[in-house]
Amino acid sequence: MLKEVLLGLLAGAGVFTVGILLGHFAIDKGSSLPEWSRDASRDVDESIIEKFLAELDTNEIKENLRELTKVPHMATTPGDEATVDFMLKRWQDPKTGLDSAWREDYKVYLSFPSKTNPNKVSVVDPENKVLYTAREKEKAYKPEQEDPEVVQPYAAYSPAGNVKGKLVYANQGKMSDYELLNQTLDLTGCIAITRYGGEGRSKKAINAAKFGIVGVLVYTEPYDINDGLVSESETYPHSWYLPPSGVERGSYNIDFGDLLTPYLAAKDDTYRRPKEDITGIPPIPAQPIGFEDAERLICELDGDDAPDGWQGSLNCTYKLGGPGFKPTSPLNNSNVHLDIYNTERLENSANVMGVIRGSVEPDRYVIYGNHRDSWVHGAIDPSSGTAVMLEIARVLGKMVKEVILNLKGKWRPRRSIIFGSWGAEEFGLIGSAEYTEEYFSKLSERTVAYINVDISVFANATLRASASPAAQSVLFTASKQVNAPGTTKSVYDNWIQYFNRTSPNYGIIPNVGFLTGAGSDYAAFMHYLGVTSMDISYYYDTRKTKARIYPAYHTAYDTFDYASTHIDPGFTSHQAVARTAGNVLVRLADSLLLPFNCSDYAESLEQYLIQAVTAFEEKLAAKGVSMESLKKAVQLFRETATKLDRLIRDSDLAKETPLKARRINDQLMLLDRAFLDPLAFPEKYAFRHVIWASKSSSVPTFPGLADAVEQAESTGLKEDWDQAHKHLSIVTQAIAGAAHTLDDVI
């Protein structure tokens, strides 16, 4: 279906281009302009944006969320398939649907717990008598938790296994945490209990195995998620905080995309590598538990006091473990026993796609996406984003079908809008299954931008956005036109109150974060395909809570009741996200000139350069490596960005050949692609963007350079310093190359 749509769009684009060329030279200059010429020079109409914003309905968003969260819809389950049908029905509605909608099917490699033999965590004495058993399911406070389709908490992609050993407490499961334990304890054969945060899920187990540990437990520390609250009377359903039995499920893998088909779409007949070749998943059994069970285990441990930074809010002083429990404990001389029965198998999964075809440049696409699958009911993650996307699509679908009086006809965006509802993202499939199939890669070359609204509302305090620097300006423009709920301010002015920075060019502005990791569906678009991307949500006031994320994240308590009672009771924050993200979408799809600003990109590169020079210049100079070429490359980028800005400012593109606007738009659209280097990070799957790739260094600067210098410092090896020099050259030449794409044609 997608191939047919793309062929149709490309054919339309070809006719449009030929028409421009023939018309430009064949029309008598004294005659009136043909209709296609007026369409080609048309810019975004502010009255259309006002109409769009006015028609976004909070009640529609609310009812979308209610429908989406009726049943659990983990990827490939009957609940997920019902959600596919619901999305298709909405997008194929004859009155408010899209021009066309379809499903793309895949066969993906997923991990599930056994329905008949649930995973167990217990404490057993030397004769294997069970002294304590952790909960297998979360406590039910509402009917939703009693649904038989609520999946048992588990660590997806943890291997099955039956292991037992003395318990130790390993903080966040970082390498440095295990190294500290290893200084005084023999960790061989032990079970480690760790808390979420500080290190990726799978890395907690991967790191542990390097020290001979045979199994890992992971719990949500109430200090990190609940502001220290631990009692049932203070947590859900009485507040937004996580109840003691709440367990965060999750995918325990590092690489995004289908694990058996890296860089390929996971179709029925796709080549699949042997399971033994998979990397980035736990080599030892792992299992998440609630903090009530964690308290029972941690507070019985023997050994030295854990460091101050490892302490938490459970009702005891955290110990490291003897290994094992203290002599006075009823659990003394016993082992923690993990019985894990996870299995991996191939299952069918679908993406739901829909399109509104562009009127002038149908071969240029703005993609708006959100994943559909959840661990349980998933009201906040991801259904708050899906509910918003459905409402944006409904309003735009209706607008292209009706006569708009002030236009004396129908409106249709200049460029094509593609909506995507992705499947199996919770399992890490935010790469190959969705985006690297042959025609999706081709589509990416014509994609203007990707807008991601995964979790649309974490809480109801302020907008929060991460994006390519090129998209900062359109985010600001859109947020200035939307009222912040519960205030008399715009979303923009409210945003400044919570997240701001001082810009050398603009003064105090909202802080737009960088897309430096693979945290959501934007990952493949930004890091692998180089498509200018952004991630938009409404967030909580971090001055009032230490919660690392909303407390019910990935638990059985993330329900419609939780969202409508504790997160956004009036759904006004959902509407603010819909208006802001939708405004950005319309501007990207309908502006004559793409609303990107390459000078904002230059500012970000300059800030990165300052950090790099401060942190690394002297160290590199001591090894005979100069950073002058990097400084010159950043300066060149600034100069060409300024030159392009001047050209845009001095041009009246509505009165010039449409090909000039097309040429400038291509420069803006392809800017992030210019930073791709497929050979820069051979050890990092699907990371090709040399500015925004993930990194381990804490220095906010160019990732390859930062990691390479810090590695060289730690080892002192010549080959590692050579790698630092290499990464300096990689980023220098990428920036210089990107600068040349902004310059005039040769």
Side-chain angles (χ1 to χ4, degrees):
M1 178 65 189
L2 182 55
K3 292 178 180 177
E4 296 171 5
V5 172
L6 293 179
L7 287 173
L9 295 177
L10 291 173
V15 171
F16 163 71
T17 303
V18 171
I20 287 177
L21 294 172
L22 291 176
H24 181 71
F25 293 106
I27 293 174
D28 177 21
K29 301 302 182 184
S31 65
S32 60
L33 290 173
E35 184 176 348
W36 65 259
S37 181
R38 288 193 295 272
D39 287 344
S41 61
R42 172 181 59 82
D43 203 354
V44 65
D45 189 327
E46 291 295 331
S47 68
I48 290 294
I49 290 180
E50 291 172 6
K51 176 178 174 59
F52 167 75
L53 296 179
E55 292 199 10
L56 292 168
D57 190 329
T58 54
N59 193 60
E60 291 280 351
I61 298 173
K62 178 181 179 180
E63 293 309 311
N64 288 343
L65 189 65
R66 191 192 304 275
E67 181 66 29
L68 290 164
T69 57
K70 280 185 176 178
V71 297
H73 49 286
M74 188 169 68
T76 76
T77 64
D80 180 40
E81 186 61 25
T83 310
V84 170
D85 293 339
F86 174 64
M87 301 292 291
L88 281 172
K89 182 179 178 181
R90 288 289 300 272
W91 287 354
Q92 292 172 344
D93 185 278
K95 294 182 179 179
T96 60
L98 308 176
D99 291 339
S100 61
W102 64 96
R103 61 184 290 161
E104 290 288 336
D105 290 295
Y106 301 90
K107 189 174 286 291
V108 295
Y109 180 73
L110 304 183
S111 166
F112 300 94
S114 171
K115 286 189 174 182
T116 58
N117 204 0
N119 296 341
K120 291 182 174 62
V121 176
S122 57
V123 180
V124 296
D125 68 12
E127 286 73 43
N128 284 327
K129 178 184 177 182
V130 176
L131 304 179
Y132 179 78
T133 302
R135 277 184 176 273
E136 294 177 9
K137 292 185 176 182
E138 291 145 302
K139 183 175 179 178
Y141 296 100
K142 300 283 183 176
E144 292 92 334
Q145 286 91 53
E146 296 176 329
D147 191 306
E149 291 301 312
V150 171
V151 68
Q152 179 200 10
Y154 76 112
Y157 299 110
S158 162
N162 184 309
V163 295
K164 60 183 177 181
K166 301 297 182 184
L167 188 68
V168 293
Y169 170 54
N171 190 31
Q172 296 177 324
K174 303 187 297 291
M175 279 296 292
S176 59
D177 296 333
Y178 291 116
E179 287 167 353
L180 187 148
L181 285 175
N182 198 49
Q183 291 175 6
T184 56
L185 298 174
D186 180 3
L187 300 179
T188 304
C190 288
I191 304 290
I193 184 168
T194 66
R195 62 209 268 181
Y196 276 117
E199 182 63 279
R201 297 184 189 103
S202 62
K203 289 283 285 184
K204 296 177 189 295
I206 292 171
N207 294 341
K210 295 175 181 178
F211 293 86
I213 290 170
V214 296
V216 170
L217 298 173
V218 188
Y219 78 100
T220 302
E221 167 58 49
Y223 179 84
D224 302 329
I225 202 78
N226 274 8
D227 295 314
L229 301 181
V230 296
S231 72
E232 284 191 281
S233 63
E234 298 172 305
T235 56
Y236 181 79
H238 308 291
S239 73
W240 82 321
Y241 291 117
L242 182 68
S245 67
V247 183
E248 178 184 321
R249 299 149 179 82
S251 183
Y252 283 54
N253 58 313
I254 294 175
D255 296 335
F256 57 90
D258 183 75
L259 296 180
L260 292 182
T261 60
Y263 300 112
L264 295 169
K267 291 290 189 176
D268 281 343
D269 58 354
T270 302
Y271 165 77
R272 287 173 168 80
R273 64 179 174 176
K275 297 176 183 178
E276 295 74 25
D277 291 350
I278 295 174
T279 59
I281 59 176
I284 56 177
Q287 176 69 18
I289 60 174
F291 67 76
E292 68 175 2
D293 287 316
E295 181 173 55
R296 186 74 174 89
L297 298 174
I298 290 174
C299 291
E300 297 295 332
L301 282 175
D302 196 11
D304 296 335
D305 288 357
D308 290 345
W310 294 25
Q311 298 296 324
S313 296
L314 302 179
N315 190 30
C316 63
T317 298
Y318 295 18
K319 304 280 188 178
L320 298 178
F325 301 108
K326 55 193 175 186
T328 56
S329 168
L331 305 181
N332 178 41
N333 199 31
S334 59
N335 291 314
V336 172
H337 187 192
L338 274 64
D339 276 319
I340 307 301
Y341 299 99
N342 296 347
T343 58
E344 298 78 40
R345 59 182 183 266
L346 294 175
E347 291 284 352
N348 294 315
S349 180
N351 294 334
V352 182
M353 308 289 295
V355 63
I356 294 176
R357 295 183 181 87
S359 61
V360 179
E361 298 180 87
D363 65 328
R364 291 294 184 261
Y365 320 117
V366 182
I367 304 180
Y368 185 114
N370 154 254
H371 77 89
R372 180 189 66 255
D373 65 305
S374 64
W375 285 111
V376 194
H377 293 84
I380 300 303
D381 180 14
S383 299
S384 63
T386 310
V388 163
M389 179 169 65
L390 282 168
E391 176 60 0
I392 290 172
R394 181 192 72 84
V395 173
L396 291 177
K398 179 171 176 280
M399 286 175 63
V400 297
K401 293 175 175 64
E402 65 186 11
V403 174
I404 298 176
L405 294 179
N406 65 307
L407 295 183
K408 298 180 181 179
K410 293 183 178 180
W411 170 82
R412 183 168 285 275
R414 179 186 192 89
R415 303 176 188 90
S416 296
I417 297 173
I418 295 177
F419 290 98
S421 174
W422 320 125
E425 188 270 359
E426 292 293 9
F427 288 86
L429 271 72
I430 52 181
S432 63
E434 285 87 350
Y435 314 123
T436 58
E437 189 164 357
E438 180 185 6
Y439 48 72
F440 257 105
S441 292
K442 291 177 179 176
L443 177 142
S444 76
E445 293 305 313
R446 300 180 179 92
T447 298
V448 169
Y450 177 68
I451 302 171
N452 188 63
V453 181
D454 176 359
I455 302 173
S456 71
V457 178
F458 289 85
N460 57 2
T462 179
L463 191 80
R464 186 182 71 162
S466 300
S468 164
Q472 174 181 275
S473 59
V474 69
L475 284 166
F476 288 173
T477 298
S479 63
K480 288 175 181 177
Q481 288 186 289
V482 179
N483 293 327
T487 75
T488 58
K489 301 175 181 177
S490 68
V491 165
Y492 176 90
D493 289 331
N494 188 61
W495 187 3
I496 286 181
Q497 278 192 289
Y498 293 91
F499 300 106
N500 61 67
R501 69 178 181 90
T502 300
S503 161
N505 298 318
Y506 306 116
I508 298 176
I509 58 174
N511 185 38
V512 178
F514 297 141
L515 295 173
T516 54
S520 190
D521 306 294
Y522 59 78
F525 285 105
M526 187 81 232
H527 299 304
Y528 184 68
L529 299 175
V531 172
T532 298
S533 301
M534 61 204 80
D535 185 61
I536 304 171
S537 64
Y538 230 73
Y539 210 64
Y540 46 84
D541 186 350
T542 56
R543 298 169 299 188
K544 295 182 179 179
T545 177
K546 299 189 297 289
R548 61 180 175 83
I549 197 168
Y550 73 96
Y553 176 69
H554 286 190
T555 73
Y557 306 111
D558 187 0
T559 61
F560 180 82
D561 175 74
Y562 182 82
S564 60
T565 303
H566 300 293
I567 299 295
D568 189 21
F571 283 80
T572 54
S573 295
H574 282 77
Q575 187 186 53
V577 171
R579 286 176 169 170
T580 304
N583 192 336
V584 171
L585 175 63
V586 173
R587 291 184 182 280
L588 288 170
D590 209 30
S591 296
L592 174 60
L593 198 69
L594 291 175
F596 290 151
N597 189 318
C598 48
S599 287
D600 290 341
Y601 220 124
E603 180 180 307
S604 296
L605 295 177
E606 288 162 352
Q607 295 304 306
Y608 261 26
L609 176 64
I610 291 170
Q611 293 287 339
V613 168
T614 301
F616 307 133
E617 186 169 40
E618 288 186 6
K619 298 169 184 176
L620 288 168
K623 301 296 179 179
V625 179
S626 170
M627 296 184 71
E628 289 306 310
S629 59
L630 177 60
K631 297 176 186 177
K632 290 177 181 177
V634 172
Q635 178 61 32
L636 177 63
F637 190 96
R638 166 60 75 181
E639 291 169 358
T640 54
T642 301
K643 185 177 179 181
L644 182 59
D645 284 347
R646 189 182 307 115
L647 173 64
I648 293 170
R649 185 177 63 249
D650 295 343
S651 298
D652 188 354
L653 294 173
K655 296 180 181 179
E656 300 188 50
T657 169
L659 293 180
K660 182 175 181 180
R662 178 84 164 192
R663 174 171 62 83
I664 295 173
N665 281 337
D666 281 352
Q667 289 176 286
L668 296 170
M669 179 182 74
L670 297 174
L671 177 56
D672 269 301
R673 291 344 176 259
F675 290 106
L676 295 183
D677 184 339
L679 302 178
F681 309 108
E683 76 287 358
K684 295 180 181 180
Y685 174 79
F687 282 96
R688 305 194 299 172
H689 199 302
V690 302
I691 308 299
W692 310 124
S694 65
K695 61 183 175 66
S696 57
S697 170
S698 61
V699 181
T701 188
F702 309 111
L705 176 63
D707 283 352
V709 172
E710 293 190 357
Q711 172 68 14
E713 278 191 289
S714 67
T715 66
L717 297 175
K718 180 182 183 300
E719 53 263 38
D720 286 336
W721 282 108
D722 287 344
Q723 280 295 307
H725 191 180
K726 178 181 177 180
H727 275 284
L728 175 63
S729 297
I730 288 172
V731 72
T732 296
Q733 294 184 22
I735 293 171
H740 288 303
T741 68
L742 301 179
D743 210 346
D744 292 336
V745 295
I746 296 174

